[in-house]
Amino acid sequence: MKTQLEKIRQAAKEALESFDTKEQLEEARIKYLGKKGELTAILKQMGGLSAEERPVIGQLANEIRADIEQKIAEKAELLKQNEIKREINLMPDFDVSLPPDLERGSYHPITLVQRQCERIFKSMGFTVEDYSEVVTDYECFEALNIPKHHPARDMQDTYYLDNGQLLKTQTSAAQNAIYLKYKDALINDGVPIKAIFPGRCFRNEATDACHENTFFQMEGVMVDKNISISNLIYFMKTMLSEVFQRDIKVRLRPGFFPFVEPGFELDINCLICGGEGCPSCKHSGWLELCPCGMIHPEVLRMGGIDPEEYTGFAFGLGLTRLAMMKYGIKDIRDLNSGNLKSLSQFTDDE
Ligand code: FA5
């Protein structure tokens, strides 16, 4: 039995040295340490041993288990470090201290990301809508199921004009107008509503590495018969993998917005620190990028659409944060700084 145990130790050691994915590590853990694993199978035969042999073999088995566990943990750490290095190497170089290339004009990084998103959504049949930056209280809040004095307004304090209008706090402010514009084609001709509307938003808030008082969002809505959350996840994942040209880790968690039910927060793994935690992701490893959900029946009703017959999803992508992740920009304030040294480095594919 001793020889069998040593063989397992050796086989596990060799296998772990050659493995280079998390899946292989998990397979190794199950194969050697799992309930139906090789080590457990041997331990089950211990009943047949003499009273003298049992503690010796038991001790050796425990030693080997601890040894394999430690090797798996070491290898997992190594794979994680390699992944972080790979993510960092994939990010384009961005250096705020480089001298500006004043000979050649360049697009702002947010414009580049916005155009890329527009291209992707257009190719999936979405129209691109433009909408005013000055909106009414009804558009920005009431038509989104946020009546006066609703606590959800506290999160979005903004700049009010003397005539009662305001600088829009969210691109969702255009939702009502989009439903009214396309509802007839939906109801009479069965044409689904598929629209995105990028735009500048304003909020009266303290700035830090990931918050600005002026930033960009891109709203998207789709309304038709039988639209579900799976449609929403499909479009979001397609867009993100196109933007980053690789698979991006996302997580969906419950989120509350009065104009969706159910509502979610879609976060992406922070590409600045590889998920380790840094000021850009408030040390969480995740960046809140795209709240979304199924459009609330009341919001559809206010847009002239019968929620008994039609359903839809809506999302509010943080375009500025997407640009930060794509170009490895650590501080959101660099984007509005007008600093040519940093901005002229973006030429990309335009
Ligand atoms: C909203 O603005 C909702 N309108 C989004 C929405 C649309 C939800 C449709 C459901 C359906 P929120 O306040 O979380 O949600 O902002 C959305 C995104 O905008 C955030 O995830 C973030 O990426 C970006 N954002 C918000 N505030 C700021 C800020 N101060 N600076 C930079 N980006 C911001």
Side-chain angles (χ1 to χ4, degrees), residues 135-261:
V135 294
T136 61
D137 184 277
Y138 179 80
E139 290 169 301
C140 202
F141 298 120
E142 302 223 0
L144 291 165
N145 212 17
I146 312 178
K148 290 206 166 48
H149 312 300
H150 191 289
R153 289 194 179 208
D154 294 350
M155 314 283 289
Q156 301 192 5
D157 185 17
T158 186
Y159 307 95
Y160 286 83
L161 310 187
D162 287 343
N163 65 5
Q165 291 188 317
L166 49 111
L167 297 188
K168 73 171 178 245
T169 56
Q170 48 182 346
T171 41
S172 308
Q175 276 195 27
N176 187 256
I178 302 291
Y179 302 141
L180 294 174
K181 180 173 172 187
Y182 290 114
K183 72 176 171 45
D184 288 343
L186 172 74
I187 297 164
N188 302 331
D189 307 320
V191 182
I193 301 179
K194 285 169 91 180
I196 55 165
F197 25 112
R200 186 157 36 182
C201 303
F202 307 84
R203 289 187 195 176
N204 176 21
E205 63 182 328
T207 60
D208 59 29
C210 58
H211 289 89
E212 256 291 9
N213 50 29
T214 305
F215 57 95
F216 284 78
Q217 287 185 344
M218 191 184 77
E219 191 92 352
V221 293
M222 177 169 183
V223 184
D224 197 1
K225 291 188 174 161
N226 302 319
I227 296 295
S228 73
I229 292 166
S230 13
N231 298 101
L232 166 70
I233 295 172
Y234 168 78
F235 283 111
M236 295 322 299
K237 284 203 89 167
T238 308
M239 189 273 297
L240 288 172
S241 46
E242 281 288 317
V243 168
F244 291 101
Q245 290 294 305
R246 63 197 147 120
D247 257 355
I248 293 291
K249 268 191 225 150
V250 298
R251 71 174 185 189
L252 215 56
R253 58 194 165 86
F256 174 72
F257 301 91
F259 38 97
V260 285
E261 178 57 37

Side-chain angles (χ1 to χ4, degrees), residues 144-145 257-261 294-301 307 312:
L144 291 165
N145 212 17
F257 301 91
F259 38 97
V260 285
E261 178 57 37
M294 300 303 293
I295 303 165
H296 195 285
E298 202 45 43
V299 173
L300 285 177
R301 215 170 274 129

Side-chain angles (χ1 to χ4, degrees), residues 94 96 108 205-214 279-280 320 324 329-339 342-343:
F94 170 74
V96 276
H108 193 280
E205 63 182 328
T207 60
D208 59 29
C210 58
H211 289 89
E212 256 291 9
N213 50 29
T214 305
S280 311
T320 305
M324 290 172 72
I329 298 167
K330 295 191 182 70
D331 195 316
I332 195 169
R333 291 163 291 197
D334 284 335
L335 288 165
N336 283 0
S337 70
N339 177 354
S342 29
L343 297 180

